[in-house]
Amino acid sequence: MRTWSPCEIRRSCASRRACLIARFNFIYAKERLDAESILRPYVCNTEVVQKIIYVAAVESFHAAKLAFWKVKVSVKETLALHPCDGLAPVEVATLDYIACHKDLFDVCSSIHEVICAMNIHPKLPCPAEVDFIVISSLIREICCLAFEMQTLIPPLDIAVGVDGEMFNKSMYYRSFDSDFSASFVAYHVWPALLENDAVIVKGEVVTK
């Protein structure tokens, strides 16, 4: 295991942070829309399609964060058994190790957990209407992204919105079909990305 200087730690984290934020934006701009196209033959209501994708994003972050916590505990315990002078603190070494060994993440299990959670979600169509496995590619991308975001210092996370909440222009953009005079969120299209509870990428909502 290599020795890290504080400057190297900051530089490495900043570089990975920039790449992960760029991936988050790409998923929103491209892969989210691809998933919408996949869902439309099964669900004709645009609002329902957008809700499905939003819930998929939220559940993917939840599943990935839980998986990361389990991996982190295991790796941290292993590294703590072999302390070495001059190396990075166990916490930093653990995050670096996980970042370099992405195969530690059982993404297939997380995808399964996400789909199971979506199947029982009260705001989504029942499984008989649409099999959410059709957007498993999107779920996989978000799960992998969310997992890697946990290796940053500080980690990145998403804001989980509540329908009917007051519209917050510092956290969300309004969707083009919104009522721009409305003050409350009808439903969420895409989550905002947070760092230490501060918004670094706005999400999207529909106000009506």
Side-chain angles (χ1 to χ4, degrees), residues 13-27:
C13 199
S15 176
R16 287 192 293 113
R17 176 183 180 276
C19 290
L20 293 173
I21 292 173
R23 280 177 58 190
F24 182 82
N25 287 330
F26 179 79
I27 291 173

Side-chain angles (χ1 to χ4, degrees), residues 9-207:
I9 292 172
R10 288 193 297 270
R11 189 183 307 119
S12 173
C13 199
S15 176
R16 287 192 293 113
R17 176 183 180 276
C19 290
L20 293 173
I21 292 173
R23 280 177 58 190
F24 182 82
N25 287 330
F26 179 79
I27 291 173
Y28 167 72
K30 175 68 168 59
E31 298 187 26
R32 174 183 66 91
L33 299 180
D34 290 344
E36 285 189 8
S37 297
I38 291 172
L39 284 168
R40 283 197 188 100
Y42 306 94
V43 183
C44 59
N45 189 309
T46 298
E47 178 177 330
V48 175
V49 168
Q50 292 177 330
K51 285 182 176 179
I52 289 172
I53 292 173
Y54 178 78
V55 171
V58 170
E59 293 296 341
S60 294
F61 263 82
H62 177 76
K65 286 163 60 181
L66 179 59
F68 179 83
W69 178 80
K70 293 177 180 178
V71 170
K72 182 181 176 182
V73 169
S74 176
V75 172
K76 197 170 186 178
E77 288 177 349
T78 300
L79 294 180
L81 295 174
H82 304 88
C84 297
D85 294 335
L87 294 179
V90 172
E91 180 74 16
V92 175
T94 298
L95 297 178
D96 177 58
Y97 186 88
I98 297 172
C100 294
H101 296 80
K102 299 181 180 67
D103 58 318
L104 292 170
F105 178 34
D106 185 356
V107 66
C108 292
S109 291
S110 289
I111 293 171
H112 176 72
E113 290 174 13
V114 171
I115 292 175
C116 286
M118 294 176 69
N119 283 335
I120 60 174
H121 198 284
K123 294 183 180 179
L124 300 185
C126 67
E129 295 179 53
V130 55
D131 187 345
F132 298 122
I133 199 170
V134 297
I135 57 168
S136 59
S137 176
L138 175 70
I139 294 171
R140 173 183 290 272
E141 286 300 311
I142 300 174
C143 280
C144 290
L145 176 66
F147 186 88
E148 291 183 50
M149 283 181 168
Q150 306 316 300
T151 66
L152 299 175
I153 305 174
L156 301 183
D157 201 356
I158 57 170
V160 179
V162 178
D163 291 351
E165 67 181 320
M166 182 74 73
F167 173 69
N168 183 346
K169 66 179 180 180
S170 66
M171 182 172 287
Y172 299 111
Y173 294 109
R174 296 180 196 259
S175 185
F176 73 93
D177 54 348
S178 292
D179 176 354
F180 281 73
S181 65
S183 301
F184 298 96
V185 173
Y187 65 92
H188 297 74
V189 175
W190 191 250
L193 188 64
L194 308 177
E195 182 179 61
N196 282 337
D197 295 325
V199 177
I200 57 174
V201 178
K202 287 185 180 183
E204 182 181 345
V205 298
V206 173
T207 55

